[in-house]
Amino acid sequence: MKIKDLGEFGLIDRLTSILQVSDSSVVVGFGDDCSCVNINGELILFTSDIQLEGKHFLKEKIEPEDLGWKLISINVSDIVSCGGVPKWGFISVGFPPDTEFKYVEKIYRGMKDACDFYKTEIIGGNTTASDMVLLDLYLTGKTDRFVGRKGAKKGDYLILSGYTGLSRAGLELLLMNKKNYEDFEKRLIKAHTRPKARIDLSQKIMNYANSCIDVSDGLIGDLGHVERSSSVKIVLRKENLPVHPDLRLFCKKYSKDPFEYILYGGEDYELVFTVSKENINYFDNCFVIGSVEEGEGIFLKDGISTKKLEEKGFEHI
Amino acid sequence: MKIKDLGEFGLIDRLTSILQVSDSSVVVGFGDDCSCVNINGELILFTSDIQLEGKHFLKEKIEPEDLGWKLISINVSDIVSCGGVPKWGFISVGFPPDTEFKYVEKIYRGMKDACDFYKTEIIGGNTTASDMVLLDLYLTGKTDRFVGRKGAKKGDYLILSGYTGLSRAGLELLLMNKKNYEDFEKRLIKAHTRPKARIDLSQKIMNYANSCIDVSDGLIGDLGHVERSSSVKIVLRKENLPVHPDLRLFCKKYSKDPFEYILYGGEDYELVFTVSKENINYFDNCFVIGSVEEGEGIFLKDGISTKKLEEKGFEHI
């Protein structure tokens, strides 16, 4: 059997069953945005995410500064979604020997900008020769309470921290290879190339969220992890899903359905989380988009009709 | 300027100057086998090392179980060389979609065997699609005292934990594509494909070594890091350098100079360390191969003649 026949999540399930975790100081192992270890009473988070040329980015389609920024941001996003703040990063890089030093330097400047913004530091690394640009970041973080995919409870409100679908629209625009882009198109492209992790919500997620995940594989794909890990049913209300004006313009211009982007577009790095009713006031600037119920599956309520959504997400294999 | 013109270490120097570390809990940042952070009084070590198909291994030349074993071992070796014991690993993998699951499974079984042997656990990971097999491990460890490249002192004895040069001989044998190998050749190949990190010395290194590094880039290449970081002169005695019988057979058969392998062969994952005279008795089963003096450079003493050695090491770029 080939691994493409198993799918990304099927593969992960089989592989993690080989690597059993028994250390009692490991609070969370495989299966969430971060692993978590108790070190002398501190909850330390671990995550990693890679940017591989040709798979996650095209060299001629993203500025090296943005690439460096994005690498840090997508990892910070995983830490934040577990209720943490980022602390120490470790960078593993590979470049073809013919790479211009200026190009590499710009990636590092982008990483440094992002580290300053998120108040984190890269403290070590490893360098190798490679046939394509390879940037693999390992990031640690701290939290007082691990928030993950498992904690969604019946009766919780489902909250989205911002707009989704913009990054996918931006990616499609990039791949159109247009000579000139309109202003709203440039903004959508920027949403794809320079995402911002929601570090501003870190403390509130830690204090008040029952479950949380970041929107990297698409809203429904990621909510599928929450639904299965928490064994709950999730009901979205279509009228509550925020549609960004730029996405509206994009969809009008190119005859697309915005909800296809909002529900299934990936790489937005917004947070989708669930909170109890009494904590909903802490999230004034976010969107309440649905609720958690007993049962299973993800449903979209549109007026009086309700339909079950297919949990397709972006799979990397 | 292209990065190949800078060399691996020139590149690293320039890049790390961009990523300045100011966090006071970071005990050691860039520039050693591991970084080290103080978390609530615990000294936590961080390292990472990658195995990239076509760069670090050839798929048809190493059994997948050995590849998994080697990935863990080379990272454990970095932890041990800083006086630590390995604790939690985090694995980032990439495979072409057409890869057979059996192949991937065997790599993971090799990793698991190594984890059991070294008493460490992989607690999380990330999976991606890739054009070649990519295995990037991020390993943490613990120590009571950080031992690194900087602590070598004038008057120290220079100690080597075991034989070197075997791995390079094994690699050359592998690349000969012979149909049949003699027994000693098979053992040399195994030294290359299934190295064992010196976890047995971890506690002694932590307690008694003033400096330590593992032999990954070659004895002289790695001693060069110690010499420069510690600002000392290192003098080796040729008659004290251990020559393994299998290497002797190899060099006789193929008309090679064993000292070229012993001094400059890489990937042995033995430890070379320095200790004060009063601690030398703790290392009965190791080889005292030289001494640390005031000055700079690495010298080889052969009878009454002494020559300065060129500090060439294996560079990955």
Side-chain angles (χ1 to χ4, degrees), chain A residues 1 4 22 101 121 136, chain B residues 1 4 22 98 101 121 136:
Chain A
M1 186 168 17
K4 67 180 173 191
S22 61
F101 175 68
E121 288 188 344
D136 199 10
Chain B
M1 187 171 15
K4 65 180 174 192
S22 61
D98 267 333
F101 175 68
E121 288 189 344
D136 199 9

Side-chain angles (χ1 to χ4, degrees), chain A residues 94-310:
Chain A
F95 296 101
D98 267 333
T99 309
E100 289 292 337
F101 175 68
K102 274 265 168 259
Y103 177 80
V104 179
E105 191 182 24
K106 284 175 181 172
I107 293 175
Y108 272 67
R109 296 230 175 268
M111 290 199 286
K112 174 71 172 138
D113 285 350
C115 284
D116 290 347
F117 178 78
Y118 297 116
K119 297 189 174 58
T120 183
E121 288 188 344
I122 294 176
I123 63 163
N126 184 52
T127 314
T128 188
S130 163
D131 290 331
M132 72 284 135
V133 179
L134 177 171
L135 305 167
D136 199 10
L137 186 77
Y138 296 100
L139 190 61
T140 59
K142 278 190 184 183
T143 183
D144 292 342
R145 183 174 73 96
F146 184 90
V147 182
R149 305 170 176 185
K150 285 200 178 81
K153 288 182 183 61
K154 176 185 142 188
D156 277 3
Y157 284 76
L158 183 69
I159 303 186
L160 181 61
S161 65
Y163 297 93
T164 60
L166 282 64
S167 177
R168 176 164 148 199
L171 174 61
E172 290 182 5
L173 283 164
L174 263 181
L175 297 178
M176 285 179 197
N177 291 317
K178 289 168 56 151
K179 273 220 164 129
N180 294 301
Y181 288 101
E182 294 189 58
D183 282 350
F184 80 89
E185 293 177 317
K186 287 179 188 160
R187 289 192 296 269
L188 288 170
I189 289 172
K190 202 174 168 195
H192 177 72
T193 57
R194 208 174 170 89
K196 205 179 270 184
R198 296 304 305 265
I199 187 88
D200 55 311
L201 293 175
S202 176
Q203 196 69 34
K204 286 184 178 179
I205 294 294
M206 186 176 81
N207 290 341
Y208 308 116
N210 290 334
S211 73
C212 186
I213 195 165
D214 70 330
V215 184
S216 52
D217 297 337
L219 182 56
I220 301 307
D222 287 309
L223 278 177
H225 295 305
V226 176
E227 176 245 325
R228 285 187 301 276
S229 302
S230 301
S231 303
V232 293
K233 173 179 172 180
I234 291 174
V235 183
L236 302 168
R237 285 168 195 280
K238 194 173 180 185
E239 70 269 25
N240 290 8
L241 290 171
V243 186
H244 193 281
D246 289 338
L247 182 64
R248 207 184 292 276
L249 286 169
F250 170 86
C251 288
K252 204 174 162 194
K253 183 170 174 179
Y254 298 101
S255 304
K256 303 280 187 180
D257 173 10
F259 289 97
E260 181 66 24
Y261 290 77
I262 291 167
L263 296 174
Y264 296 109
E267 295 202 274
D268 289 301
Y269 303 104
E270 292 292 342
L271 301 171
V272 60
F273 48 98
T274 74
V275 298
S276 314
K277 193 178 177 182
E278 64 267 26
N279 289 327
I280 205 164
N281 294 331
Y282 294 106
F283 299 96
D284 272 356
N285 297 318
C286 300
F287 304 102
V288 179
I289 61 167
S291 55
V292 179
E293 301 182 7
E294 206 173 303
E296 59 179 47
I298 302 178
F299 295 82
L300 184 68
K301 218 168 184 166
D302 185 5
I304 53 163
S305 80
T306 300
K307 72 167 177 183
K308 193 169 191 300
L309 293 177
E310 196 191 337

Side-chain angles (χ1 to χ4, degrees), chain B residues 147-304:
Chain B
V147 182
R149 304 171 177 186
K150 284 200 179 80
K153 288 181 185 60
K154 175 187 142 188
D156 278 3
Y157 283 76
L158 183 69
I159 304 185
L160 181 60
S161 64
Y163 297 93
T164 60
L166 282 63
S167 176
R168 176 163 149 202
L171 174 61
E172 290 181 5
L173 284 164
L174 262 182
L175 296 178
M176 285 178 195
N177 291 316
K178 291 170 52 152
K179 274 222 166 124
N180 294 301
Y181 288 100
E182 295 190 57
D183 281 351
F184 81 88
E185 293 177 318
K186 286 181 189 160
R187 288 193 296 269
L188 288 170
I189 289 172
K190 201 174 169 193
H192 178 72
T193 56
R194 208 174 171 88
K196 205 179 270 185
R198 298 302 305 263
I199 187 86
D200 54 312
L201 293 175
S202 176
Q203 195 69 35
K204 287 184 177 177
I205 294 293
M206 184 175 83
N207 289 342
Y208 307 114
N210 290 334
S211 74
C212 185
I213 194 165
D214 69 330
V215 184
S216 52
D217 298 337
L219 182 58
I220 301 308
D222 287 308
L223 278 177
H225 296 304
V226 175
E227 176 246 326
R228 287 188 300 277
S229 302
S230 300
S231 302
V232 292
K233 172 180 173 180
I234 290 174
V235 183
L236 302 169
R237 283 168 197 280
K238 194 172 179 187
E239 70 269 26
N240 290 8
L241 289 171
V243 186
H244 194 281
D246 289 338
L247 182 65
R248 207 183 293 275
L249 286 170
F250 170 86
C251 289
K252 201 173 166 196
K253 181 168 176 179
Y254 299 101
S255 305
K256 304 278 188 181
D257 173 9
F259 289 97
E260 181 66 24
Y261 289 78
I262 290 167
L263 296 173
Y264 297 109
E267 295 203 273
D268 289 301
Y269 303 103
E270 291 294 342
L271 301 172
V272 60
F273 48 98
T274 74
V275 298
S276 313
K277 193 179 179 183
E278 64 266 28
N279 289 326
I280 206 165
N281 293 332
Y282 295 106
F283 300 95
D284 273 355
N285 298 316
C286 301
F287 305 100
V288 179
I289 61 168
S291 57
V292 180
E293 302 183 5
E294 208 173 301
E296 58 180 46
I298 301 179
F299 296 82
L300 184 67
K301 218 169 185 167
D302 185 5
I304 53 161

